[in-house]
Amino acid sequence: MQSGRVEVAVAPTHVSSLLSRSWAVARRRAGRLSTRALRKVGAYEPLCRFGDFLRPPKYPGVRLTPRRLLNLWLVRYQHSRGHTKLWGHPVVLTIESTNACNLRCPDCFTGSGEVGRAKSMLPLPLYERVLHELGDYLLHVEFYNWGEPLLNKDIYEMIRLAARKRVSTIVSTNFSIPFDAARARKLVSSGLGTLGVSIDGAHQESYEKYRVRGALERVLDNVRLVNEAKRELSSTTPQLFWEFHVFQHNRDEVEQARAMAQDLGMQISVDKGWVAGPEWDPEANFRFSVVPSLERCDYLWLRAVVNNDGGVAPCCGAFYKEDDYGSVADRSFKEVWNNQSFQQARRLYRTRGNASESLRRLICYDCPQTVMWERYEQHRAHGLGKASFAPGYNANDGFNYFFNRRPRRAAGNDDLSVTKGPVKKPKRAAHGWTGTPRAESENRSS
């Protein structure tokens, strides 16, 4: 009988797995130790903030070139310092391919019959000029705001041009429009990254309470056409999102909508709808997709909004031409971006006191975010921190600020003062705001 030690044969793959797990455990332990050490010397929080500053947003399909990253860090720095004249370029572009819409959503400016500017399609040459100037700096382009973007016959070419520059792209549509297999192939072939579809119900009866004139079955058929085109073209894009805005009348259909979205290969975004007047769900059983942040408005520093006529608005909430801060129809975007109106609006985040009449007329002057920032600066001046500060408004209040703002117009005069406060309107159904669609898990964390 042979004596000696027993040899145990271990497969190389098992050894690799054991080493990998051991290394992961060691890294976690080292991470905990370094975190404690950094906290002890007061360096942990500053390092986390610096990491957040450098980390680019997660926009699908974007190519993070050195120019884009350097521009992102530059405008983030200027945003953090409250600079009024900007050296950098916006990183997100909201561009209105058309301000016309086929539906009559009651608490939308366009759906309720308000006229902010002449109805038109964004001219392709104007779009190309804007994209040529901004495209190398952009991370993301949103092809929607107050109209139905797919009504513009040039939308496929607009998307293609942005995708060719390796910019992330998104379209949000009601999709209750004439659509066929050929259009579906054009949409998929354009390189569109994300297609959000606003479907606020699982049955026609509830769906059409807000999406007036919409046909649910047509919408679902159009989604199927896109899925079929993706299969034919072996494409993984666009990602499909079911945008479900929850109100009192459709709150019991959320689970059915989840199942329908899964059957259609769509991710679902479930958000509490914004309404004209007091919010419908004060108990907060559902959550808004956005919450106020304790920082300067990012639109004035990082995001651009270009309307169908070339008018440049300070944010996506501004509907009327009177609230534009300039136009790219006859000048470069850079000229508009640093003009008097934009610089005055940014200066509001330094002080709102002793404002002139012209400054008070800017849509940014009474914006809840601007007012909140002024309160927050006063709060900090008393030596108090973030934890003890309440923003004082929510997404529904923000929507109502913009929706209750109307210009006082006279014949032949397009530059008059605005009415701030409730305007008598016909009674309307609850409203859901179409924003950038996000996966439901992200909405829960927002």
Side-chain angles (χ1 to χ4, degrees):
M1 182 176 176
Q2 184 175 350
S3 63
R5 58 182 183 154
V6 177
E7 296 288 342
V8 179
V10 180
T13 54
H14 291 172
V15 172
S16 176
S17 177
L18 287 170
L19 289 173
S20 179
R21 285 199 295 269
S22 299
W23 174 241
V25 170
R27 280 195 305 172
R28 284 197 296 271
R29 288 177 179 171
R32 286 194 292 268
L33 289 172
S34 61
T35 297
R36 284 198 292 269
L38 289 170
R39 286 187 187 278
K40 191 173 182 180
V41 298
Y44 181 75
E45 293 298 333
L47 282 174
C48 286
R49 288 195 297 269
F50 185 64
D52 290 339
F53 175 87
L54 294 178
R55 188 177 300 112
K58 294 180 179 179
Y59 290 121
V62 65
R63 175 184 288 166
L64 294 173
T65 63
R67 178 177 294 183
R68 284 179 174 145
L69 286 172
L70 289 172
N71 178 70
L72 171 67
W73 296 331
L74 173 60
V75 293
R76 278 181 171 176
Y77 172 74
Q78 294 203 275
H79 178 237
S80 71
R81 305 299 296 174
H83 291 174
T84 57
K85 186 173 183 178
L86 303 187
W87 307 317
H89 300 74
V91 298
V92 176
L93 172 65
T94 297
I95 193 149
E96 183 80 284
S97 62
T98 180
N99 61 339
C101 189
N102 55 311
L103 300 191
R104 294 296 179 265
C105 304
D107 277 348
C108 167
F109 279 119
T110 306
S112 62
E114 289 290 325
V115 179
R117 65 194 73 234
K119 291 286 191 293
S120 71
M121 303 295 165
L122 174 70
L124 184 59
L126 176 57
Y127 167 78
E128 290 176 320
R129 183 159 58 79
V130 173
L131 187 65
H132 177 74
E133 184 177 356
L134 300 182
D136 290 340
Y137 305 96
L138 291 172
L139 304 180
H140 185 62
V141 178
E142 301 172 343
F143 290 95
Y144 61 94
N145 199 13
W146 295 108
E148 169 47 55
L150 296 182
L151 294 180
N152 189 328
K153 63 181 177 59
D154 291 322
I155 187 65
Y156 308 103
E157 178 65 7
M158 292 177 181
I159 297 167
R160 188 189 69 80
L161 291 172
R164 193 170 67 180
K165 285 185 171 290
R166 296 298 298 271
V167 179
S168 176
T169 55
I170 181 173
V171 165
S172 184
T173 174
N174 64 59
F175 228 2
S176 185
I177 57 173
F179 200 69
D180 55 27
R183 290 186 179 95
R185 286 191 292 272
K186 285 178 68 176
L187 187 63
V188 173
S189 299
S190 71
L192 178 64
T194 304
L195 181 68
V197 186
S198 297
I199 314 175
D200 308 326
H203 301 92
Q204 178 66 27
E205 183 180 6
S206 59
Y207 164 80
E208 66 184 358
K209 283 188 177 179
Y210 183 73
R211 304 290 166 183
V212 178
R213 294 188 181 180
L216 178 60
E217 197 53 45
R218 166 178 270 183
V219 175
L220 300 180
D221 284 344
N222 288 343
V223 171
R224 295 183 186 104
L225 286 171
V226 174
N227 277 328
E228 181 59 33
K230 288 171 66 176
R231 283 191 290 271
E232 287 181 12
L233 299 171
S234 300
S235 176
T236 58
T237 57
Q239 297 180 58
L240 296 172
F241 278 80
W242 179 311
E243 299 171 335
F244 192 108
H245 305 293
V246 188
F247 310 104
Q248 190 65 45
H249 69 268
N250 66 4
R251 62 187 300 167
D252 295 331
E253 298 184 7
V254 172
E255 294 308 315
Q256 186 175 357
R258 290 190 210 277
M260 293 170 67
Q262 185 174 11
D263 289 344
L264 289 166
M266 304 177 77
Q267 300 179 64
I268 189 166
S269 171
V270 179
D271 306 316
K272 180 161 63 174
W274 306 349
V275 300
E279 66 169 285
W280 66 270
D281 176 38
E283 298 84 11
N285 295 308
F286 297 92
R287 299 185 62 182
F288 292 115
S289 60
V290 293
V291 295
S293 58
L294 299 184
E295 59 182 19
R296 298 173 183 87
C297 173
D298 62 352
Y299 271 94
L300 292 173
W301 279 267
L302 287 92
R303 303 169 68 99
V305 179
V306 177
N307 287 292
N308 52 292
D309 61 354
V312 180
C315 78
C316 66
F319 176 75
Y320 294 98
K321 187 179 182 70
E322 288 84 349
D323 285 324
D324 288 349
Y325 284 0
S327 174
V328 292
D330 57 356
R331 66 197 64 196
S332 71
F333 179 85
K334 191 68 174 179
E335 289 178 88
V336 176
W337 197 225
N338 278 313
N339 68 13
Q340 183 180 18
S341 294
F342 268 107
Q343 291 198 51
Q344 285 180 330
R346 295 179 190 121
R347 197 170 288 116
L348 290 172
Y349 283 84
R350 293 183 177 178
T351 177
R352 288 177 72 243
N354 301 317
S356 65
E357 181 60 30
S358 62
L359 192 59
R360 290 174 181 272
R361 287 174 57 185
L362 293 178
I363 191 171
C364 295
Y365 180 79
D366 283 320
C367 174
Q369 185 70 14
T370 312
V371 175
M372 182 212 70
W373 180 261
E374 180 183 45
R375 291 177 45 244
Y376 180 52
E377 289 287 84
Q378 293 168 354
H379 181 82
R380 292 202 302 176
H382 287 87
L384 303 172
K386 285 185 177 182
S388 58
F389 181 80
Y393 83 100
N394 60 25
N396 201 71
D397 302 319
F399 161 72
N400 275 274
Y401 168 70
F402 293 108
F403 198 65
N404 288 330
R405 184 181 173 89
R406 299 290 193 279
R408 296 195 194 103
R409 288 173 172 166
N413 192 337
D414 287 330
D415 187 21
L416 297 176
S417 59
V418 295
T419 299
K420 300 167 186 175
V423 175
K424 291 184 179 179
K425 286 282 180 183
K427 188 175 180 181
R428 294 169 176 148
H431 169 92
W433 191 268
T434 301
T436 303
R438 298 180 296 170
E440 188 180 353
S441 60
E442 292 180 287
N443 288 330
R444 286 196 180 122
S445 65
S446 65

